[in-house]
Amino acid sequence: MHLKKRILVTGGAGFLGSHLCDRLIAAGHDVICVDNCFTGTKHNVYHLMDDPHFEFMRHDITFPLYLEMDEIYNLACPASPIHYQHDPVQTTKTCVHGSINMLGLAKRTRAKILQASTSEVYGDPEMHPQREDYWGHVNPIGTRSCYDEGKRCAETLFMDYHRQHGVRIKVARIFNTYGPRMHPNDGRVVSNFIVQALRGEEITIYGDGSQTRSFCYVDDMIEAFLRLMGTGPEFTGPVNLGNPHEFTIRELAERIVAMTGSRSKIVHKPLPHDDPRQRKPDIALARERLGWEPRVPFEEGLIRTVAYFEEFLRAL
């Protein structure tokens, strides 16, 4: 028999959070979506607003929250440099105070809690591909540190609440993810290139474009979250979630130009400070413990994402 749960999704009106809310509602759970709408938007969850099993709450998780929950997915935090550098102190607070508040809630209600961590905990990696036992190469005082070190501290808090208080935790290290509902102005390469191509603007590559990234389609990532949350108490993670298939940034730009039939020219700008040269997950642990690997081919995911942005730009 299906067990109905009360599930809290922080950052639930964001890109990943809104897709997670969709899956949880479809599975028959009661979902409370919490978001302060700094980067998330109610537009992403409008289609759920009339569902009796869905509730939207505008709230900033740096302040405590008093609810009764069975599970918590802690996704709240701006995740692109353009947004997390806008208010770096608030970014660190969201990672640290937000985690303390959500872990306190999980401790009180005996809820299972998943932390959306990030591949940024590896910094500019000296190991390639990155495995979970790699401790990273991170600048603690750079312009990206509010996010990188904030997320590293959040992982510390999760592990210590687990060891000290027996809180049931899951830690997901998320690598680049793309798909519909990405923020159009978040400065990430997939959304940036698609919007620039569709508008016929110059496509801006930072550096020579030889730096690599790996891209996982959003549906695959949400499936991984659900599988991770469903594992037994002995498995806490951290576990890498992402697509191990690597592309150069230049390859990505050329694919998007071809796919959109755009006349956009590709231009080069200086590489930002602390921008990692390569990012590729080793997902052996996810394959072994979750039986998971990405299924949606990159071309297919790109087609769906381009279609979303075409519709989005038409509606402006």
Side-chain angles (χ1 to χ4, degrees):
M1 190 181 121
H2 171 72
L3 185 64
K4 187 181 188 121
K5 295 174 187 156
R6 285 176 54 81
I7 301 176
L8 172 64
V9 180
T10 75
F15 164 48
L16 289 178
S18 62
H19 285 278
L20 177 59
C21 288
D22 285 346
R23 280 291 299 272
L24 294 171
I25 289 287
H29 300 298
D30 283 325
V31 174
I32 296 185
C33 162
V34 165
D35 208 301
N36 68 351
C37 295
F38 173 55
T39 57
T41 165
K42 280 169 81 173
H43 183 75
N44 286 339
V45 290
Y46 269 150
H47 60 287
L48 296 173
M49 289 295 191
D50 292 334
D51 192 303
H53 303 292
F54 179 81
E55 192 177 330
F56 175 81
M57 183 186 294
R58 190 183 287 257
H59 179 83
D60 184 329
I61 64 160
T62 61
F63 298 96
L65 198 54
Y66 302 102
L67 298 165
E68 302 303 315
M69 302 299 359
D70 300 309
E71 290 180 354
I72 302 165
Y73 288 83
N74 188 36
L75 274 58
C77 189
S80 71
I82 207 166
H83 289 138
Y84 66 63
Q85 290 169 353
H86 172 73
D87 188 345
V89 171
Q90 183 63 22
T91 297
T92 305
K93 276 184 172 177
T94 302
C95 291
V96 178
H97 293 185
S99 291
I100 290 168
N101 287 332
M102 291 306 107
L103 285 160
L105 177 61
K107 180 187 166 195
R108 182 180 65 78
T109 61
R110 295 192 171 88
K112 195 189 293 187
I113 181 167
L114 180 145
Q115 166 65 358
S117 190
T118 171
S119 59
E120 295 289 340
V121 299
Y122 299 121
D124 189 359
E126 292 169 329
M127 169 191 272
H128 189 75
Q130 294 83 54
R131 281 202 321 266
E132 289 86 354
D133 57 5
Y134 175 55
W135 290 352
H137 177 230
V138 179
N139 175 2
I141 57 169
T143 54
R144 299 170 75 105
S145 308
C146 58
Y147 185 71
D148 300 8
E149 294 288 37
K151 288 288 194 179
R152 283 162 72 94
C153 185
E155 286 197 12
T156 304
L157 285 162
F158 268 70
M159 291 310 296
D160 285 337
Y161 264 79
H162 172 64
R163 286 185 286 243
Q164 191 174 337
H165 301 298
V167 174
R168 294 178 296 155
I169 65 161
K170 307 290 173 188
V171 177
R173 287 185 181 156
I174 303 166
F175 282 69
N176 284 18
T177 309
Y178 72 101
R181 301 184 202 155
M182 288 183 87
H183 198 293
N185 303 317
D186 65 4
R188 297 186 192 204
V189 284
V190 174
S191 49
N192 243 19
F193 289 175
I194 291 174
V195 169
Q196 288 170 338
L198 290 174
R199 287 178 168 161
E201 298 168 357
E202 289 181 335
I203 290 182
T204 49
I205 290 181
Y206 294 93
D208 63 4
S210 64
Q211 67 271 40
T212 65
R213 295 291 184 272
S214 46
F215 301 98
C216 181
Y217 189 64
V218 60
D219 291 1
D220 284 329
M221 185 59 65
I222 300 307
E223 176 65 26
F225 286 178
L226 299 175
R227 290 190 188 200
L228 176 56
M229 191 61 112
T231 56
E234 78 296 338
F235 185 65
T236 61
V239 58
N240 288 338
L241 301 178
N243 195 326
H245 193 54
E246 217 174 354
F247 296 92
T248 68
I249 295 298
R250 182 161 191 98
E251 265 181 276
L252 174 69
E254 288 165 351
R255 277 189 184 211
I256 288 172
V257 168
M259 186 174 284
T260 55
S262 176
R263 294 180 179 175
S264 294
K265 299 248 186 317
I266 294 172
V267 299
H268 293 267
K269 292 192 172 180
L271 201 60
H273 191 52
D274 291 336
D275 193 53
R277 292 181 306 276
Q278 44 185 192
R279 218 7 104 54
K280 176 183 175 178
D282 180 319
I283 61 165
L285 186 63
R287 282 192 179 109
E288 179 198 336
R289 299 305 300 260
L290 312 180
W292 176 88
E293 61 185 317
R295 300 261 179 240
V296 178
F298 188 56
E299 290 291 320
E300 189 181 321
L302 262 189
I303 289 167
R304 294 183 204 170
T305 310
V306 167
Y308 167 78
F309 276 109
E310 281 176 333
E311 195 175 323
F312 179 87
L313 293 173
R314 266 202 305 273
L316 288 180

